[in-house]
Amino acid sequence: MITVENVSKSFPLNGNPVAALRDVSVDVQAGSLFGVVGPAGSGKSTLARCIALQERPDRGVVRLDGLNTGTLDGRRLREVRRQLGIVGTKPELLAERTVAGNIATPLEQLGVDGPQRRSRVGSLLDLAGLTARAAQHPGELTDGQLRRVAVAKALAAGPAVLLADDPTAGIAPEEAGAVLAVLDRARAELGVTVLVTTQDAGVVRRVCDDVAVLEEGAIVERGTVLDLIASPGSWTAQAVLPAIETTRAQTAKYDRSADVVLIGFASVGALLPEAAGRFDVELATIGGGLTRIGDTPIGRFRLGVRGERADAALAWIADRGAHVTHTARGPQSVVAA
């Protein structure tokens, strides 16, 4: 488990300190895939470097499994750093070595013998989907493949924590998906705790269990992704859920309108039709759409409801775990998205 307690960090600029992190606190559960999200300059990379023990906070503490890393130096610091795998935005690979050779480099440095080394490299090539590229050199690979090699190399020594700083930046969407799949497999199959920094809300939607949103060095939102999307005003909900675009003319046809978030297979597939039948109302989706958070289907819709029991139908939907907000009666009180 990673615990960041009230961490602040500044850097000098033209002789004056500029705050990169302001009293940041987050908890990253062991075995989770945690996203730190924010725009450029928000402090994401600085936070990652503090957790990776590449920077020391000005104030506050970073703990790894309860260990106060601020007290470490010398040999003990190097030992703890070996438990941390780090993937930067620019993969540090040796051009003269093959893909397999690059992944093997950390194992050679640790003195791992040949058979063990080859077995470990083979497993990581499979994890990264690069077995067919094992004999190629970095210059023959795409940017996305290079990122996957870098992830496999960072995992070679068996770290407990993998820190990936903006791992999908600057690569095509289909290649970004492959990189995220490798990070997700590392968490699922190797039990590695993965912390990803990113500007892309799509990364949160596809692989993250938990998220912290940074703005100007401060945490403005944190929690599980599924909890945060239930709050319509949250950054996470606005960033990862389908947009709702409706007109006043569309909502004017109905007695009642509401924005609804449905989470899970049962809710998305059956809740709305069952409510319509049970309460004898017309219930139409007039905006929004479907997405997935990891493997969980999510629906965000603007509903139009017509019928005497419209309010009862919406209350029943909410009682069954849906998140119903922004209800309005009649066209005069409906504001189009």
Side-chain angles (χ1 to χ4, degrees):
M1 179 173 176
I2 303 167
T3 304
V4 178
E5 300 175 356
N6 307 114
V7 163
S8 295
K9 179 69 178 179
S10 297
F11 295 98
L13 180 65
N14 299 325
N16 297 309
V18 175
L21 296 174
R22 307 170 189 266
D23 199 30
V24 169
S25 295
V26 295
D27 292 323
V28 181
Q29 298 299 317
S32 68
L33 205 160
F34 192 100
V36 178
V37 192
S42 60
K44 304 183 304 298
S45 295
T46 301
L47 178 58
R49 288 196 299 271
C50 287
I51 294 172
L53 310 184
Q54 296 174 326
E55 297 278 359
R56 286 190 181 271
D58 298 333
R59 294 181 301 280
V61 177
V62 176
R63 300 183 191 275
L64 300 177
D65 287 333
L67 176 66
N68 181 352
T69 60
T71 65
L72 304 176
D73 56 19
R75 178 180 174 183
R76 183 62 177 139
L77 178 61
R78 291 191 294 272
E79 289 174 352
V80 173
R81 279 177 173 163
R82 282 199 288 270
Q83 293 298 308
L84 306 169
I86 300 168
V87 181
T89 53
K90 295 182 179 180
E92 297 181 1
L93 304 175
L94 299 173
E96 68 276 10
R97 302 204 71 171
T98 64
V99 167
N102 271 284
I103 297 171
T105 302
L107 299 171
E108 293 170 357
Q109 293 170 345
L110 291 172
V112 176
D113 64 36
Q116 282 186 295
R117 189 168 67 244
R118 286 189 291 273
S119 175
R120 178 68 174 168
V121 170
S123 296
L124 291 169
L125 285 167
D126 177 69
L127 182 86
L130 292 168
T131 301
R133 308 285 182 182
Q136 292 185 305
H137 290 78
E140 302 173 83
L141 305 182
T142 67
D143 288 340
Q145 289 166 345
L146 291 172
R147 301 278 173 91
R148 284 188 277 152
V149 177
V151 172
K153 180 181 177 182
L155 292 168
V161 175
L162 180 67
L163 296 135
D165 190 10
D166 225 352
T168 61
I171 60 178
E174 60 274 15
E175 292 210 298
V179 174
L180 295 178
V182 178
L183 296 175
D184 198 29
R185 290 188 68 185
R187 179 267 303 268
E189 299 177 22
L190 303 180
V192 177
T193 302
V194 181
L195 186 145
V196 177
T197 72
T198 183
Q199 299 183 50
D200 183 3
V203 173
V204 174
R205 185 179 67 250
R206 295 180 72 163
V207 297
C208 292
D209 304 310
D210 306 277
V211 65
V213 182
L214 273 175
E215 287 184 7
E216 298 182 350
I219 297 284
V220 296
E221 187 172 293
R222 63 187 169 203
T224 71
V225 177
L226 291 178
D227 283 346
L228 290 171
I229 64 170
S231 176
S234 73
W235 178 93
T236 304
Q238 295 302 315
V240 308
L241 293 180
I244 293 178
E245 298 178 358
T246 60
T247 66
R248 187 176 297 275
Q250 288 174 295
T251 56
K253 302 175 184 178
Y254 299 95
D255 300 322
R256 197 73 156 148
S257 70
D259 291 350
V260 177
V261 177
L262 306 170
I263 301 175
F265 290 94
S267 292
V268 169
L271 202 57
L272 300 185
E274 186 175 350
R278 180 180 292 265
F279 293 92
D280 191 26
V281 296
E282 179 186 349
L283 197 157
T285 57
I286 56 177
L290 293 169
T291 189
R292 284 181 177 269
I293 305 296
D295 293 328
T296 303
I298 308 290
R300 184 195 194 194
F301 302 108
R302 179 155 295 166
L303 303 180
V305 191
R306 185 186 294 118
E308 292 183 0
R309 304 182 69 191
D311 287 336
L314 291 172
W316 183 87
I317 290 169
D319 286 344
R320 269 122 192 103
H323 304 276
V324 181
T325 57
H326 299 166
T327 57
R329 184 181 298 281
Q332 289 77 24
S333 57
V334 174
V335 179

